[in-house]
């Protein structure tokens, strides 16, 4: 009996290798790391029920010039957002992880906690780094505004947790407006996106399952969208649209979702210009 089980495990492992070899060829991911990640996730034990695991991240879309970098390297304090890793933080500021660990007296990169302030030395500022996951579930994009003067992924995650949303910030992405220590146009990635969970940004129908939720910080029923935020939004929407093959007609504002009674993302939100820009991006 033990021999039969052992043989079945060998066959399964071979099947995993074939499956992941295809993924690795397609997306350029190291085969060995995928196999070990899969085995570590518990899928190697045949007696357990299959547990859904978010797909491995295969691509990062990185912009080298958004938001506009500062002319000289400088130090910034970064407040760790929900589900942010040290690797991601160092990547968005283009700084060496060892150096950041040294200046913050960290001995283990997993030590960092949400809300912790980290010194980031000699950076030109944050640049967008968008993790993209191979899946067919995302067919729409819904754009929101926060209708607040300020905000960051950290503060909005706290707010949404206080509302009882245990998975935190309801949006998948947040574009900052230069408040709460973030740069104007800085793109923050939410914990739901990192874990590929349903959103909590649109009550109607199955929109939280199929639509990527992006929020711009601010109230755009009162004022226009600042240029840096608009540039970052264009980059983010265009990147997602291309990767997930989302047609232009499925890129909508919250107010355009059937049944939604709201003017979100605000009457001054520049829809016509956004649609024009993403067509030619
Ligand atoms: Zn909204």
């Amino acid at each position: 009996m033990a021999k039969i089980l052992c043989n079945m495990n060998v066959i399964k492992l071979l099947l995993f290798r074939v499956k992941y070899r295809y993924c690795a060829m397609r997306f350029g991911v190291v085969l060995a790391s995928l196999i070990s990640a899969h085995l570590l996730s518990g899928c190697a034990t045949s007696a357990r029920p299959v547990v859904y695991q978010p797909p491995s991240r295969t691509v990062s879309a990185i912009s080298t010039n958004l938001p506009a970098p500062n002319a000289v390297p400088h130090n910034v304090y970064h407040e760790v957002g929900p589900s942010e890793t040290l690797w991601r933080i160092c990547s968005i500021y283009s700084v060496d992880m060892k150096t950041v660990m040294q200046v913050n007296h960290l001995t283990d990169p997993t030590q960092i906690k949400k809300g912790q302030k980290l010194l980031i030395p000699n950076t030109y500022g944050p640049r967008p780094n968008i993790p993209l996951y191979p899946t067919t579930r995302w067919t729409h994009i819904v754009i929101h505004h926060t209708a607040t003067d300020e905000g960051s992924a950290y503060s909005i995650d706290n707010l949404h947790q206080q509302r009882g949303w245990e998975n935190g910030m309801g949006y998948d992405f947040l574009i900052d407006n230069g408040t709460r220590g973030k740069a104007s146009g800085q793109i923050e990635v939410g914990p739901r996106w990192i874990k590929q969970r349903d959103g909590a940004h649109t009550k109607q129908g199955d929109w939280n399952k199929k639509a990527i939720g992006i929020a711009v910080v601010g109230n755009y029923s009162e004022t226009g969208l600042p240029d840096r935020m608009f540039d970052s939004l264009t980059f983010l929407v265009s990147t997602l649209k291309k990767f997930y093959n989302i047609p232009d007609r499925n890129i909508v504002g919250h107010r355009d979702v059937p049944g939604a009674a709201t003017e979100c993302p605000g009457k001054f939100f520049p829809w016509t210009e956004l649609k024009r820009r993403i067509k030619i991006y």
Side-chain angles (χ1 to χ4, degrees), residues 1 34 63 87 102 137 148 162 172 199 241 257 272:
M1 188 61 187
L34 276 174
S63 168
W87 176 85
Q102 263 172 7
R137 72 175 289 192
T148 56
Q162 283 161 18
D172 295 295
K241 169 190 139 101
V257 174
T272 309

Side-chain angles (χ1 to χ4, degrees), residues 23-74:
C23 292
M25 283 168 63
R26 185 165 174 197
F27 298 110
V29 177
V30 179
L31 176 63
S33 67
L34 276 174
I35 291 175
S36 61
H38 196 107
L39 294 178
L40 286 171
S41 73
C43 298
T45 47
S46 55
R48 289 186 191 167
V50 176
V51 177
Y52 172 72
Q53 295 287 335
S56 299
R57 193 187 75 211
T58 57
V59 181
S60 276
I62 299 175
S63 168
T64 53
N65 58 359
L66 288 170
N70 291 37
V72 289
H74 58 290

